[in-house]
Amino acid sequence: MNERDSESIHSFLQASGFDMVDNETSADVIILNTCSVRELAELKALGKLGYLARRNIVLCVLGCMAKNLAEEIKKRVPGVDIILGPGDYSKIGDYIEDIISGRRTFIIDVDSPGAENNLDMDSMHNVTQRQSSAFVSIMSGCNMRCSYCIVPKTRGTERYRAMEDIILEINKLADNGIKEVTLLGQIVNRYGFRQIEQKDGKSAFVQLLEKIHEVPGIKRIRFTSPHPVGFHRDLIDCYKNLPKLCSQVHLPAQSGSNRILKAMRRAYNRDDFIKIVQALRDTVPSISVSTDLIVGFPGENDDDFSETCSLFDEARFDMAFIFKYSDRRGTVAASMPDQVPRDVKEYRNAVLLKKLATHSKAYNDKMLNTLQMVLVEGKARRGENIFQGRANNHRKVLFPGDDLDVGEFVDVRITSSAVTTLYGEKI
Ligand code: SAH
Ligand code: SF4
């Protein structure tokens, strides 16, 4: 989501006449687009700000930390010129001009009422030549109140973009050579909730998927993140009915313990979760299933953690983001008793990472000798003439290729596999 936001910030600045430089040392203006989901992200950003504040530049802090820690940033880092919360980034060019011209010496804007209504500004893209994949924001904010999460505070309540605007944007992207879109939102399957009516038993999100499926240039559709609550039959059936929908799902579980799920205020239980995964596997047997898990939530004991481990095995996650619980001021969980010691979190994190490596390798091994259609992203970091791209299930595939492959689909036979990457030959 931040990557997508950075792209629109880039477009707004370009429209205001600014140019992007390719390294930080030659920049006159630096923007840190920040995240507040975990404390570590904030600490890193604060450290970086302190370092940059010594330079004579226009220094801007955008994103969730701007909203969450505005006063603290102002106090701790006097060199910051602009603090702008998530939402209406279209103002950034004017704000920078105000600082450069000396009209204003400091700008703080974290409660902008415009942000609520300015979702269409999201449609600004910066498609580069031979780029084949793009993120498309379909909603912003979140109405859930998961007890550990800062997002509803920093990003506000749910707002959905109009379906026709999203389709228009995707058509434009397709005209610019984009072949794959990834729809973004805190809970994409809540898209249009109580605002767009169900049609033939299909939710607004499913209706949106069907419409996107009709856009001629678009060959692949992905989305992140759906919530297990609201992952109904109509959405599962899309994996059968919409061939452009990729065989991949990112479904955050957070925990395998019903007790912890309840304390997290995630309104599903382990069984509900397993049933969704099973239904998805029944529909697409080779589907890649990834997740988010939090270890060390307050009160999580050894039994709870075993439940998470067994969920991992039962759901056979081949990819996972594993987070050590991080205390976020102002959330309900921050004041819960029985905070878990750091070393226990570390240990549980390591256990799950090991499990992940095993599952991921097993999943990759099953792809050996198969033929994969790979959408090529560019040169791989290492190896001469080695290129990398994504298979339909989003697995990274490396192969010897050439520059002309970039941005195109190529057929690759998988010849070997590692934990995170597959290797193959073009055929
Ligand atoms: N809306 C998405 C998640 C967005 S935040 C969803 O509900 O699935 C991305 C991930 O960060 C979450 O899934 C969660 O696993 C993690 N996360 C959020 N708050 C956290 C915290 N306080 N400590 C550790 N991880 C956290
Ligand atoms: Fe945070 Fe929960 Fe909303 Fe996801 S659903 S953004 S975890 S509050």
Side-chain angles (χ1 to χ4, degrees):
M1 199 160 283
N2 267 20
E3 245 179 74
R4 172 70 197 107
D5 285 352
S6 294
E7 188 194 11
S8 26
I9 294 162
H10 183 179
S11 303
F12 289 130
L13 287 178
Q14 232 169 9
S16 313
F18 291 90
D19 285 325
M20 179 87 118
V21 288
D22 54 17
N23 66 70
E24 159 186 323
T25 43
S26 53
D28 307 309
V29 178
I30 293 186
I31 294 173
L32 283 199
N33 186 17
T34 58
C35 174
S36 287
V37 166
R38 281 162 298 145
E39 190 184 16
L40 190 63
E42 288 189 339
L43 292 177
K44 277 189 190 164
L46 282 170
K48 179 89 183 175
L49 272 182
Y51 167 77
L52 291 172
R54 285 178 280 172
R55 279 176 53 190
N56 186 21
I57 48 169
V58 179
L59 186 53
C60 319
V61 189
L62 271 59
C64 287
M65 192 180 85
K67 167 96 182 163
N68 194 34
L69 296 182
E71 287 308 318
E72 207 164 323
I73 297 167
K74 191 175 155 194
K75 222 167 32 205
R76 278 177 55 176
V77 198
V80 169
D81 301 289
I82 297 170
I83 301 178
L84 174 58
D88 195 356
Y89 291 141
S90 66
K91 299 174 183 162
I92 186 68
D94 288 345
Y95 283 171
I96 295 172
E97 297 284 5
D98 284 348
I99 297 287
I100 292 174
S101 66
R103 274 192 296 274
R104 297 167 80 177
T105 52
F106 176 66
I107 296 168
I108 181 162
D109 178 356
V110 290
D111 291 308
S112 156
E116 294 283 323
N117 306 316
N118 215 353
L119 279 171
D120 289 328
M121 287 300 179
D122 269 350
S123 64
M124 295 282 277
H125 279 267
N126 192 41
V127 176
T128 55
Q129 231 190 340
R130 302 173 77 194
Q131 178 184 336
S132 53
S133 182
F135 290 123
V136 174
S137 209
I138 62 168
M139 59 187 291
S140 64
C142 180
N143 287 358
M144 296 286 182
R145 287 282 178 272
C146 300
S147 59
Y148 50 82
C149 185
I150 194 90
V151 171
K153 179 179 164 196
T154 57
R155 297 243 165 193
T157 51
E158 270 164 32
R159 283 98 63 206
Y160 315 116
R161 293 182 62 204
M163 221 182 265
E164 50 275 28
D165 292 340
I166 299 170
I167 299 298
L168 198 72
E169 173 177 339
I170 293 178
N171 269 295
K172 267 197 239 155
L173 287 168
D175 290 345
N176 282 313
I178 293 298
K179 300 182 175 72
E180 174 186 88
V181 286
T182 302
L183 310 180
L184 297 180
Q186 292 302 344
I187 308 185
V188 284
N189 49 336
R190 289 255 304 184
Y191 172 76
F193 188 70
R194 293 206 168 133
Q195 284 181 19
I196 301 173
E197 276 186 35
Q198 288 218 343
K199 238 195 229 155
D200 309 324
K202 291 170 185 167
S203 67
F205 181 57
V206 168
Q207 295 170 41
L208 177 67
L209 288 175
E210 288 180 345
K211 285 219 167 87
I212 297 171
H213 201 263
E214 285 166 19
V215 179
I218 299 301
K219 308 289 183 214
R220 283 182 173 179
I221 306 168
R222 305 182 192 278
F223 55 78
T224 195
S225 295
H227 196 290
V229 171
F231 209 112
H232 297 305
R233 191 75 242 175
D234 59 331
L235 183 49
I236 292 166
D237 284 343
C238 288
Y239 287 87
K240 188 172 62 199
N241 301 333
L242 305 178
K244 292 178 181 177
L245 187 60
C246 291
S247 56
Q248 173 228 347
V249 65
H250 181 73
L251 189 59
Q254 313 301 358
S255 170
S257 151
N258 286 336
R259 205 176 68 82
I260 296 296
L261 283 171
K262 200 160 175 213
M264 286 176 161
R265 296 193 182 161
R266 302 283 292 187
Y268 52 89
N269 61 35
R270 182 198 167 87
D271 237 31
D272 302 329
F273 188 89
I274 293 283
K275 279 195 185 120
I276 299 168
V277 174
Q278 198 46 55
L280 284 163
R281 289 200 192 280
D282 288 345
T283 312
V284 188
S286 64
I287 195 166
S288 159
V289 182
S290 58
T291 197
D292 290 349
L293 290 165
I294 297 177
V295 293
F297 183 83
E300 183 189 71
N301 59 32
D302 288 345
D303 290 343
D304 296 314
F305 179 61
S306 306
E307 292 277 292
T308 298
C309 290
S310 70
L311 178 79
F312 208 119
D313 293 334
E314 236 178 288
R316 280 184 282 132
F317 298 124
D318 52 86
M319 228 306 280
F321 295 106
I322 298 155
F323 301 102
K324 286 171 266 182
Y325 169 75
S326 168
D327 222 17
R328 306 295 36 226
R329 205 188 310 152
T331 62
V332 172
S335 50
M336 284 183 180
D338 302 327
Q339 298 281 330
V340 175
R342 188 194 290 191
D343 56 335
V344 177
K345 286 184 200 166
E346 296 286 354
Y347 171 75
R348 291 178 183 166
N349 184 50
V351 170
L352 290 187
L353 283 176
K354 203 161 159 218
K355 227 177 227 316
L356 172 60
T358 314
H359 281 268
S360 178
K361 179 76 166 79
Y363 182 84
N364 282 354
D365 284 349
K366 285 209 182 120
M367 289 173 71
L368 280 172
N369 298 317
T370 60
L371 195 62
Q372 297 290 330
M373 208 155 99
V374 174
L375 185 53
V376 185
E377 294 169 343
K379 274 198 109 148
R381 240 179 285 161
R382 266 178 282 173
E384 212 176 322
N385 292 327
I386 302 294
F387 287 75
Q388 75 171 48
R390 300 276 168 178
N392 186 294
N393 59 5
H394 205 241
R395 287 276 141 168
K396 193 175 13 166
V397 178
L398 266 55
F399 63 97
D402 57 66
D403 249 343
L404 290 176
D405 295 332
V406 178
E408 304 296 330
F409 285 104
V410 298
D411 287 323
V412 175
R413 183 169 299 284
I414 304 300
T415 52
S416 70
S417 77
V419 171
T420 56
T421 313
L422 295 145
Y423 304 87
E425 305 281 347
K426 226 162 65 159
I427 61 156

